[in-house]
Amino acid sequence: MSTVVQLRQGRRAQPRPARLALLGTGTVGSAFVERYARLAAQGVALPDVAWLCNSRTQVGGGDDLHAALAQARAAARRRAGFPPWAEGESPKPGDIIVDATASETVADWHPEWLTRGVHVVTANKLGTGGDLGRALSIGDARALGGRYGDSATVGAGLPLLRSLRALIDGGDRIHAIEGVLSGSLAWLFSHHDGSKPFSALVRQASAAGYTEPDPRVDLSGEDVRRKLLILARAAGIALPAHEVVVESLVPDVLARAADADVDQALAALDDTLEARRAEAAANGERLCFVGRFDAGGARVGLRALPVGHPLCAGNGTDNRVAIHSDRYSAQPLVIQGPGAGAEVTAAALLDDVLAITHAQV
């Protein structure tokens, strides 16, 4: 009799299997599906993908994720109404939302989901890298039950936020963080040696998929500002977005250009950036696009750094971040690695998914 009771109790104790909803079927969302399918084929235990959603539709995941992805991507544009993922079946406590969008609307839902015990894994920088009120709400909500996986928001999955939080939990005090936080801008300035115009490098980076479809998004410094805000807030500094001073690389003529004229207008970058490169080289320095915060404030922009500076190491799309703290006062802790590409971002998202599912076992 006692054995029967124990078996029944064991059955009741089994948690409902977590379901996963993927929001966003663009470049990152598609790479997520590819990596999910590859890991599943290798026998990695993953939560079932219950829904794939975008701004146009919501479809069930099913056994053929590639077919579901194609269906979602081919859906007709909607003109009104609630987003499909808000109209469909609501996620329940223990489910996992993967936000592979860049949507302010989706980011606004992060605190709501977390409060309800729904886990959120995100590459969307607007959650903690946008409005300060939203970031603080996410911080409060993540203490209530739902877990927040944000490794993909800055550093493309490098152990950056995890290391920063571990330092703080260990009693360390952060004095400054500075970094080359954009993989596309890292690539551009590591290749800007005077052998070809900067505009030609922008076209090359765009063709390789390093930049956004409109390269002005990268050149404006807005992406770096959001990542700097994420780092500052993870370090316990409630930094408002408007207090970050941003030096955009986009001249007025390029900023005003119609979408169809952007490629031709890129030439407006060349003379100014070549002059700055030549001046830096003459002084034994190298141009890097850097975000930094310290006691004096927060700033994003182009800096000429000595070639021996920690942020001048590496090449290609590498992100490089230097953390200055009580523990690392004489020499900063430097974290470096690939910082651009849908594949590394998708890998970071799935790493956070797996960390959450393992914690639930």
Side-chain angles (χ1 to χ4, degrees):
M1 179 68 71
S2 61
T3 302
V4 173
V5 171
Q6 287 175 357
L7 286 172
R8 287 175 178 170
Q9 288 176 339
R11 289 194 187 100
R12 285 199 298 270
Q14 287 296 318
R16 178 183 60 80
R19 301 169 301 172
L20 187 151
L22 172 64
L23 274 59
T25 57
T27 304
V28 173
S30 298
F32 180 90
V33 168
E34 288 291 337
R35 185 167 181 82
Y36 179 101
R38 189 159 60 248
L39 291 181
Q42 295 170 2
V44 177
L46 291 162
D48 290 337
V49 178
W51 314 283
L52 283 84
C53 318
N54 55 29
S55 60
R56 302 180 298 281
T57 190
Q58 174 173 305
V59 300
D63 295 327
D64 191 343
L65 288 183
H66 291 96
L69 177 66
Q71 180 183 348
R73 290 174 65 93
R77 185 174 298 278
R78 292 161 54 111
R79 296 186 177 181
F82 288 104
W85 46 265
E87 293 178 336
E89 182 183 356
S90 297
K92 294 179 171 56
D95 289 339
I96 302 172
I97 298 287
V98 175
D99 181 1
T101 76
S103 166
E104 191 107 32
T105 302
V106 176
D108 280 338
W109 277 74
H110 289 187
E112 167 73 15
W113 286 321
L114 291 168
T115 300
R116 285 162 36 191
V118 176
H119 309 296
V120 177
V121 171
T122 181
N124 186 349
K125 302 173 189 65
L126 293 172
T128 53
D131 177 73
L132 177 59
R134 183 196 299 125
L136 293 174
S137 295
I138 289 171
D140 292 340
R142 66 192 299 175
L144 298 176
R147 298 185 64 186
Y148 198 66
D150 56 0
S151 300
T153 59
V154 55
L158 293 175
L160 182 52
L161 289 170
R162 182 167 69 249
S163 299
L164 179 58
R165 289 169 178 143
L167 290 176
I168 294 168
D169 290 345
D172 202 1
R173 292 187 305 165
I174 307 300
H175 302 301
I177 296 179
E178 58 183 349
V180 174
L181 299 171
S182 166
S184 57
L185 292 175
W187 187 93
L188 285 168
F189 285 103
S190 69
H191 287 77
H192 188 215
D193 58 6
S195 62
K196 61 176 64 175
F198 193 81
S199 58
L201 292 173
V202 174
R203 295 186 185 97
Q204 187 176 342
S206 180
Y210 297 147
T211 71
E212 295 293 328
D214 185 340
R216 291 176 295 186
V217 175
D218 302 272
L219 297 168
S220 71
E222 178 60 24
D223 178 65
V224 176
R225 180 176 74 119
R226 290 172 181 166
K227 292 174 180 177
L228 189 67
L229 286 168
I230 292 169
L231 290 172
R233 292 164 179 175
I237 301 170
L239 180 63
H242 70 270
E243 290 188 7
V244 181
V245 179
V246 179
E247 175 200 350
S248 172
L249 298 179
V250 182
D252 288 343
V253 64
L254 179 56
R256 294 193 304 266
D259 291 349
D261 299 327
V262 167
D263 187 73
Q264 182 177 357
L266 287 174
L269 296 163
D270 293 337
D271 290 345
T272 299
L273 289 178
E274 173 55 23
R276 294 186 69 170
R277 184 207 64 79
E279 180 182 4
N283 294 326
E285 296 172 329
R286 175 178 165 183
L287 292 179
C288 295
F289 198 87
V290 175
R292 176 185 171 97
F293 74 85
D294 54 30
R299 179 175 294 273
V300 168
L302 198 59
R303 289 172 56 189
L305 301 174
V307 292
H309 192 282
L311 298 186
C312 288
N315 52 48
T317 62
D318 279 3
N319 278 189
R320 299 179 294 281
V321 179
I323 300 174
H324 303 260
S325 68
D326 282 353
R327 187 180 302 180
Y328 297 99
S329 55
Q331 186 174 343
L333 170 66
V334 178
I335 299 173
Q336 175 182 324
E343 290 76 17
V344 291
T345 303
L349 289 171
L350 270 163
D351 285 349
D352 280 346
V353 168
L354 288 168
I356 289 171
T357 55
H358 290 164
Q360 290 179 300
V361 174

